[in-house]
Amino acid sequence: MLTLRTAEGLLGRDTSPIPPAAPDAPFHIVFLDRDGTLNRHRPGYVTRAADLDVLPDAPAAVRQLNDAGCRVVLVTNQRGLATHDLTESQLVEVHQGLVDALAAEGAHLDAIQVCPHGKGTCLCRKPLPGLFEQALARAPWARPERCATLGDQATDLEPAQGLGMRVQQVGEGFASLPEAVRSLLRPPI
Ligand SMILES: [Mg+2]
Ligand SMILES: [Zn+2]
């Protein structure tokens, strides 16, 4: 919320600290994938905010995480930046659109981490754990085993699981994002 007003924040280049979760938050950080998780998956790269089809129930689900005191961090591979199918200014516009769509329903992201690299050229393209590690470096108060990750692909979940997080797949054939959030926030019996 505080860091996402700048292009650098929207491009995932902010390295400033992420403030601690609420003391009674059930999870320190909930990591969310973007395409297929918050917005409908479509072929090719999303290059315009108008093409970012935010799933109707996604903002309310993010707001529930906000209200529960969890920090919410977006982790997204955007290889189009490396292949020049997506420009930085387009990604800024798309992420601003996402932030606005969430804000319209009282929801927000606390940080965005982006892998802008080509395949096999970095340590952060999911399923590598770099994006998660970058966020955790900004949140030294957060313990991975008190974090969770929701995504529509196994490649979202593998790195999170490797770090000891709770994970849940969402999307077609799996729980919807609101269902996954409800199950995360359900108090243990
Ligand atoms: Mg996805
Ligand atoms: Zn990368």
Side-chain angles (χ1 to χ4, degrees):
M1 184 171 175
L2 42 157
T3 57
L4 294 182
R5 302 225 172 103
T6 65
E8 294 299 286
L10 294 166
L11 287 169
R13 290 203 196 115
D14 195 341
T15 56
S16 65
I18 299 170
D24 59 346
F27 291 90
H28 288 163
I29 299 176
V30 177
F31 291 91
L32 300 177
D33 168 55
R34 199 191 79 180
D35 301 321
T37 298
L38 286 179
N39 52 283
R40 228 178 286 278
H41 198 81
R42 62 194 291 282
Y45 295 98
V46 180
T47 55
R48 303 182 315 154
D51 293 337
L52 188 86
D53 194 1
V54 177
L55 290 164
D57 297 330
V62 172
R63 185 178 171 171
Q64 285 190 316
L65 294 171
N66 298 145
D67 290 348
C70 309
R71 295 296 170 194
V72 180
V73 175
L74 186 77
V75 280
T76 181
N77 287 347
Q78 293 298 328
R79 185 169 70 96
L81 291 168
T83 58
H84 305 290
D85 292 300
L86 174 70
T87 68
E88 287 190 355
S89 62
Q90 285 171 334
L91 185 59
V92 167
E93 186 207 314
V94 168
H95 281 172
Q96 188 62 60
L98 176 60
V99 165
D100 290 345
L102 293 172
E105 300 196 41
H108 70 270
L109 302 172
D110 293 288
I112 294 178
Q113 303 291 153
V114 175
C115 168
H117 306 115
K119 286 179 185 165
T121 67
C122 71
L123 296 173
C124 59
R125 182 176 163 80
K126 293 181 283 183
L128 293 174
L131 293 182
F132 298 88
E133 290 167 346
Q134 287 165 19
L136 289 168
R138 298 172 63 186
W141 48 268
R143 294 190 4 236
E145 62 275 20
R146 292 281 312 275
C147 295
T149 294
L150 306 178
D152 70 320
Q153 309 271 334
T155 49
D156 299 314
L157 308 183
E158 283 164 21
Q161 214 156 18
L163 290 166
M165 296 182 199
R166 177 161 158 183
V167 299
Q168 188 165 344
Q169 195 157 0
V170 298
E172 246 172 87
F174 298 94
S176 68
L177 182 65
E179 285 166 353
V181 165
R182 266 198 297 279
S183 99
L184 280 187
L185 298 181
R186 191 175 300 140
I189 299 163

